[in-house]
Amino acid sequence: MAVDESNKAYLETSSAEHGVEMRNMSQLGGTEADEHEMRILGKTQQLNRNFRFISTLGFACTLMSTWEISLMTSFFSLLNGGTAGMIWGYFIVWIGYMLVFATMAEMASISPTSGGQYHWVSEFSSPGTQRFVSYITGWVSVLGWQVGLASLAFLVGTMIQGLLVLNNPDYVFENWHGTLLVIAVTAFCIIFNTFLAKRLPMVEGLVLIVHVLGFFAVLIPLWVLGPRGDPKEVFTEFLNLGGWDTDGLSFMVGLLAPVYTLIGADSAVHMAEEIKDASIVLPRAILTAATVNGTMGFIMTITFCFTLGSALDIINSPTGYPFIQAFYNVTQSNVGTSIMTAIIIINITSACISTVATVSRQTWSFARDGGLPFSGFISKVKPGWNIPLNSVLLTFTITALLSLINIGSVTAFHAIGSLAVNAILGTYLISFTVMVIRRFRGPLPPRRWSLGKFGLAVNLGAIAFLLVVWVFVFFPLSPNPTADAMNWSILMFGATMLFAVVYYLIIGRKTYKSPVDLIKRDE
């Protein structure tokens, strides 16, 4: 994994021939390499390139929020797997994701565009299939990120409700309260992505510091004050509280938690057109974020499993989150528990800020290629703002509408988290598969960051990992569930894809211009 020295000609371009583009790129903060890449991708630079390596790293790390979300999703791991399942499931998924993100890093170096997966599918697929497959991938990607934001904001809202339960036993946990909190959190994030958009890179750098310091602020009290579990029990005893036929099947279903926890290092891909020197900064930031966050998450997971006491005692915590109960058991203080939980709430809110940016850029990019209804409106960039403002506001509207589901059914809203994971993993599977096929057809296009001779093995390993976890993420939490306990994500996924296909047959095939139609790549 290194910069591909064989492609030195990659950056060669004529300043005389592309003088206008270079002046525009210079005004928006880009480099000669960025101008070259935008030209061969057939795109015009519209957004400010004000992200550097540290701010891009901060963006990816805070959006992942791995150590925080590993605590928040501990209920699912403890229910299906116990402490042993939680630890080993995390480790296996982390290794698998490293193959995924390494593959994505190379693809991002080839085509650093906000479109991400649907653009790569269009570029690497065979001419006869690329347009439709790219279109479907675009819809799946937009679906995954849009519902993913709603899911993340919901976690923040319900954590706030959990603290209310802790500090006020008379508080009634109402669903509509959670909905209002989701809308409030998202509105707060919209402010950062509109009025404070120019300051976003600086904010991401600062939040990265908070993300790291917060890790130690939670970890140290657990180390110092928490009980010590027996290593043999923690590492080897699996729980099957979901009622599955075997512990192995229960463990596989419990992988939903680490799969959700570790997803997101690729989020910076959709900010590619706002990153200076993106084709080299982006792949480095992706893998650094996956390594740093993965390490912190693994340490926190092991620490939590050793200090939680009895999993059976905390899994049904009245706060809704086992980790809040574990914090209270350790500190024996509402104040201490509230402070530790507030750190997580602040960090996940910061992740929501980054997610709004990712979601809006992904949606804007797909609309720019005519893939969505009202694409002309969604893809408009307001002069002077240099951000996809309409896409940002649309993202807020969609999240607010999705949050209303929680009023009628918490179970249906929980399925949104599963839907987000399935949709995003689906885009990985499609784009990686067409990349492998492209490798067999001939050499990959020039890139500044390459997997080298390990490329094919890494790609195939990533696909194998994704195929396994993608199937189990559709499973409900227990066998033979009632309607209230079903995982409705597969129904939501199917309904959205049906709409996308119908829209394509009626309108999309006339309006969607897949990226490959515009590419003039130098090979």
Side-chain angles (χ1 to χ4, degrees):
M1 302 179 209
V3 175
D4 193 339
E5 298 294 340
S6 66
N7 294 308
K8 293 181 179 180
Y10 176 75
L11 298 179
E12 293 181 359
T13 187
S14 169
S15 298
E17 182 180 355
H18 307 292
V20 176
E21 291 89 343
M22 278 303 299
R23 284 194 296 273
N24 181 58
M25 182 67 71
S26 178
Q27 292 170 359
L28 294 174
T31 65
E32 185 176 347
D34 295 323
E35 184 276 332
H36 177 74
E37 287 146 6
M38 292 297 286
R39 177 171 58 84
I40 62 179
L41 295 175
K43 303 298 182 184
T44 300
Q45 184 69 38
Q46 295 179 278
L47 310 179
N48 286 317
R49 289 187 180 265
N50 48 14
F51 277 80
R52 306 297 188 268
F53 174 76
I54 292 297
S55 52
T56 304
L57 176 63
F59 183 94
C61 282
T62 55
L63 189 147
M64 289 181 74
S65 293
T66 305
W67 71 262
E68 298 94 334
I69 297 180
S70 68
L71 294 174
M72 294 165 61
T73 59
S74 58
F75 169 82
F76 303 99
S77 293
L78 294 175
L79 182 69
N80 287 303
T83 55
M86 188 173 177
I87 291 173
W88 296 115
Y90 181 100
F91 181 74
I92 292 169
V93 170
W94 182 25
I95 298 301
Y97 263 132
M98 290 305 294
L99 300 176
V100 169
F101 293 134
T103 299
M104 191 159 292
E106 185 170 41
M107 297 176 82
S109 187
I110 295 172
S111 295
T113 166
S114 297
Q117 290 93 309
Y118 87 87
H119 189 118
W120 302 332
V121 167
S122 180
E123 186 170 351
F124 295 144
S125 294
S126 61
T129 61
Q130 60 82 212
R131 194 160 185 260
F132 179 71
V133 178
S134 168
Y135 169 84
I136 291 298
T137 305
W139 266 91
V140 175
S141 187
V142 170
L143 170 67
W145 280 108
Q146 288 287 353
V147 299
L149 171 61
S151 173
L152 196 61
F154 177 75
L155 291 177
V156 176
T158 51
M159 271 197 297
I160 294 174
Q161 287 184 285
L163 283 185
L164 290 174
V165 171
L166 176 71
N167 291 281
N168 181 12
D170 295 328
Y171 170 73
V172 179
F173 207 105
E174 298 284 358
N175 292 351
W176 65 271
H177 293 175
T179 293
L180 290 178
L181 286 168
V182 169
I183 295 173
V185 168
T186 308
F188 174 77
C189 298
I190 293 297
I191 294 174
F192 274 90
N193 280 274
T194 51
F195 300 106
L196 302 177
K198 293 183 179 179
R199 304 293 183 186
L200 191 57
M202 180 187 70
V203 171
E204 296 295 349
L206 293 175
V207 171
L208 176 60
I209 297 174
V210 176
H211 173 63
V212 175
L213 293 179
F215 169 74
F216 290 103
V218 171
L219 189 74
I220 292 174
L222 293 178
W223 278 355
V224 174
L225 302 175
R228 296 292 183 271
D230 178 65
K232 182 179 180 181
E233 293 181 2
V234 171
F235 282 104
T236 65
E237 292 192 2
F238 292 82
L239 293 179
N240 181 5
L241 302 180
W244 294 98
D245 291 339
T246 66
D247 289 348
L249 185 56
S250 174
F251 170 77
M252 294 303 296
V253 173
L255 290 180
L256 170 62
V259 168
Y260 183 89
T261 297
L262 284 156
I263 205 168
D266 62 298
S267 58
V269 166
H270 304 296
M271 302 297 292
E273 294 174 37
E274 295 171 67
I275 298 173
K276 188 171 184 177
D277 212 14
S279 60
I280 192 65
V281 168
L282 185 52
R284 289 173 176 171
I286 289 173
L287 285 183
T288 303
T291 302
V292 171
N293 261 27
T295 301
M296 289 195 296
F298 194 47
I299 293 173
M300 184 61 73
T301 295
I302 294 175
T303 299
F304 177 70
C305 288
F306 265 93
T307 59
L308 58 78
S310 171
L312 294 174
D313 290 339
I314 71 168
I315 198 168
N316 293 315
S317 169
T319 65
Y321 286 98
F323 79 88
I324 296 180
Q325 186 64 50
F327 287 174
Y328 180 79
N329 293 344
V330 167
T331 63
Q332 293 296 305
S333 165
N334 283 0
V335 174
T337 302
S338 297
I339 292 174
M340 293 171 71
T341 305
I343 291 172
I344 296 177
I345 291 174
I346 291 171
N347 286 349
I348 300 300
T349 301
S350 301
C352 288
I353 294 174
S354 300
T355 305
V356 167
T358 292
V359 173
S360 60
R361 271 57 170 187
Q362 166 64 34
T363 304
W364 163 77
S365 179
F366 193 48
R368 179 177 57 179
D369 289 324
L372 296 172
F374 310 106
S375 286
F377 172 79
I378 298 172
S379 62
K380 186 176 180 180
V381 176
K382 187 176 177 63
W385 287 64
N386 296 117
I387 60 170
L389 181 61
N390 291 349
S391 181
V392 172
L393 298 178
L394 174 65
T395 296
F396 171 71
T397 303
I398 292 174
T399 300
L401 292 175
L402 287 173
S403 70
L404 298 178
I405 297 174
N406 180 59
I407 298 177
S409 172
V410 176
T411 301
F413 195 87
H414 276 309
I416 286 179
S418 176
L419 175 60
V421 172
N422 271 293
I424 294 173
L425 295 187
T427 65
Y428 296 169
L429 270 170
I430 298 171
S431 57
F432 294 0
T433 300
V434 297
M435 185 181 187
V436 168
I437 295 173
R438 171 59 190 265
R439 284 187 183 275
F440 285 114
R441 293 207 318 261
L444 294 178
R447 65 274 193 201
R448 300 169 68 192
W449 193 95
S450 172
L451 287 169
K453 62 183 180 180
F454 301 105
L456 181 59
V458 171
N459 299 161
L460 292 174
I463 291 172
F465 164 74
L466 291 171
L467 283 172
V468 173
V469 298
W470 190 74
V471 171
F472 283 98
V473 172
F474 276 119
F475 276 50
L477 292 178
S478 60
N480 304 315
T482 63
D484 290 338
M486 276 292 293
N487 185 342
W488 294 102
S489 62
I490 191 168
L491 180 62
M492 298 177 185
F493 185 89
T496 304
M497 289 303 97
L498 178 61
F499 175 83
V501 171
V502 172
Y503 180 80
Y504 179 82
L505 295 175
I506 298 174
I507 300 175
R509 62 188 177 87
K510 303 173 185 177
T511 61
Y512 179 58
K513 193 169 184 62
S514 57
V516 77
D517 294 337
L518 302 174
I519 291 174
K520 305 296 181 185
R521 182 174 292 284
D522 302 335
E523 293 189 49

